[in-house]
Amino acid sequence: MFKIAIQPGWYVQGTGAEASSAVDTSLLLRLLASIRESGSIAAAGRLEGLSYRHVWGLLRSAEQLFGTPLLEKRPGKGTRLSHLGTVLLLAEDRIRARLSPTLDSLASELEAEIRKAVAPERSPLRLYASHGFAVAALVDWINTAQMPVELRYRNSTEAVAALARGECDLAGFHVPIGPFERDAVRQYLQWLDPRKHVLVQLALRVQGLCVAPGNPKRIRTLADLARPGVRFVNRQAGSGTRMLLELMLARDQVPQQAINGFDSTEFTHAAVAAYIASGMADVGFGIETAARRFGLDFVPLVTERYFFAVEQSALETRRLDDVLAILKAPGFIRRLEALPGYEPVATGEVLTLARAFGGRPGAQSS
């Protein structure tokens, strides 16, 4: 069993008189993160197995390239990051949040190709889902169990459409509880066949407004998004979160064109949160877990159910037994409970479409 990981990396190259200077940020960012946590250059060096002198030399070289300090020394209080040092770490957060789903999907594709050459008899579990914290936790558990898995991060509609075409075994999507359920379900019923597909519930999760720490703009409702001076960052068209937001805006009669930044998009909840944490926007719409991970405040607005759609035949042939066992494992349940905004309700329970959405308009037309 093997795993492939692809990590983003970036370099800073000097220009003009500094054209020969360059900084590989991988070590620099680790040092800055350690200094932020410990307040000590020496402690950061020990963590990397480097001398104080060597670390200080690396930091000085970077400061000369940027032309401004990375650190601020406080007599008797240790060392803290300068504004530039903080900006660099926030930039790294944004890069990872934006690129990780693409790189994880690419790594999974490479794994699948290599596995076909090494062990063609082992068929991987094909999982398509939008990038999210509970899905990532499940993939971690699947990897720990040494089950071959082919992961593709796709938005909810793309995942369900892929299942209908027979391209995946599990398709992750989410449906809001309450007045928006009918319209959301109608979107997915274009691809889900009640005679062929069933659902496996993963968890409940909360969506709402991710705002800067302390909520300085006093953003409480969707109507506040249209106020002058409020900068918004959105999810991409086609995502389940974007679809839900547009339904809610229509209900509240908030015109999309009145929202500054409505067309500025990111592809994951984490990327939205990182964008706000960097000070590039005041608010975004997403899940609580992402807000908390980036030190943001959160205004809850709606609870939704996250499902995996599967073919009934896959359950009848017991192909998914190991995945269902993981979903019901006490350790995995505790992992979900530790995610802010997630609640492991009926996790691993298999539902027919009629049972999941029965009695609700839209489900009846399938």
Side-chain angles (χ1 to χ4, degrees):
M1 185 67 178
F2 61 91
K3 291 299 299 176
I4 293 175
I6 305 175
Q7 300 293 334
W10 51 292
Y11 296 79
V12 181
Q13 180 73 46
T15 59
E18 300 292 334
S20 61
S21 301
V23 172
D24 178 352
T25 64
S26 56
L27 176 56
L28 175 64
L29 292 167
R30 292 200 305 272
L31 291 170
L32 291 177
S34 296
I35 293 169
R36 180 178 61 184
E37 294 300 316
S38 66
S40 167
I41 297 174
R46 286 194 297 271
L47 194 62
E48 295 291 337
L50 302 173
S51 68
Y52 181 95
R53 181 177 180 180
H54 186 67
V55 172
W56 183 241
L58 290 172
L59 294 170
R60 288 291 298 156
S61 295
E63 289 179 337
Q64 289 172 3
L65 178 59
F66 287 115
T68 191
L70 290 168
L71 305 175
E72 295 176 358
K73 288 200 170 185
R74 300 172 298 169
K77 296 183 179 180
T79 303
R80 69 180 180 185
L81 302 188
S82 69
H83 176 65
L84 173 61
T86 300
V87 166
L88 290 177
L89 289 183
L90 288 171
E92 172 72 357
D93 287 340
R94 282 174 41 226
I95 288 170
R96 289 186 175 276
R98 185 177 291 178
L99 296 183
S100 288
T102 300
L103 296 180
D104 289 347
S105 292
L106 178 57
S108 185
E109 289 179 24
L110 295 177
E111 286 175 16
E113 289 302 313
I114 295 172
R115 262 196 217 99
K116 288 177 183 177
V118 175
E121 71 284 353
R122 293 196 71 186
S123 177
L125 175 75
R126 299 170 302 168
L127 170 59
Y128 284 26
S130 58
H131 188 268
F133 297 91
V135 172
L138 176 61
V139 173
D140 286 345
W141 275 69
I142 290 173
N143 288 332
T144 300
Q146 297 192 345
M147 296 168 52
V149 58
E150 188 174 329
L151 173 67
R152 298 286 186 278
Y153 281 123
R154 301 287 187 267
N155 67 46
S156 293
T157 51
E158 290 173 339
V160 174
L163 178 71
R165 294 192 297 266
E167 297 172 2
C168 65
D169 303 304
L170 290 142
F173 70 104
H174 44 98
V175 174
I177 296 172
F180 306 105
E181 182 180 273
R182 172 180 177 173
D183 290 326
V185 169
R186 184 183 293 118
Q187 293 288 328
Y188 300 123
L189 287 177
Q190 299 176 68
W191 298 284
L192 296 178
D193 184 345
R195 297 163 298 183
K196 183 179 180 181
H197 299 115
V198 294
L199 307 179
V200 179
Q201 184 153 317
L202 176 60
L204 302 183
R205 69 180 193 180
V206 179
Q207 294 238 49
L209 300 173
C210 305
V211 297
N215 197 3
K217 295 292 180 74
R218 300 294 181 262
I219 300 166
R220 300 294 180 191
T221 68
L222 293 180
D224 292 330
L225 302 182
R227 285 189 353 228
V230 173
R231 299 167 301 161
F232 181 70
V233 58
N234 208 349
R235 287 292 305 280
Q236 81 279 19
S239 69
T241 295
R242 171 74 169 259
M243 178 179 66
L244 173 58
L245 173 63
E246 291 178 351
L247 290 171
M248 296 174 71
L249 290 172
R251 178 202 62 182
D252 292 354
Q253 298 183 327
V254 179
Q256 298 175 12
Q257 62 271 23
I259 299 174
N260 178 20
F262 192 83
D263 293 325
S264 175
T265 62
E266 294 287 346
F267 282 80
T268 68
H269 292 284
V272 166
Y275 198 90
I276 299 164
S278 296
M280 300 175 69
D282 303 303
V283 57
F285 186 73
I287 59 175
E288 182 176 0
T289 323
R292 303 305 181 193
R293 288 283 175 93
F294 286 87
L296 304 178
D297 283 0
F298 183 75
V299 181
L301 294 179
V302 63
T303 299
E304 57 186 6
R305 293 180 288 172
Y306 198 104
F307 297 105
F308 292 116
V310 303
E311 289 193 3
Q312 176 69 41
S313 60
L315 297 180
E316 292 171 351
T317 58
R318 310 187 72 83
R319 173 169 166 70
L320 300 179
D321 279 5
D322 290 341
V323 176
L324 293 177
I326 288 174
L327 289 171
K328 296 176 181 178
F332 180 71
I333 298 297
R334 289 193 294 271
R335 177 79 176 270
L336 291 183
E337 289 174 337
L339 296 174
Y342 278 91
E343 188 178 357
V345 174
T347 300
E349 184 176 346
V350 177
L351 305 168
T352 65
L353 293 174
R355 184 179 171 194
F357 309 122
R360 295 172 175 85
Q364 302 303 318
S365 62
S366 57

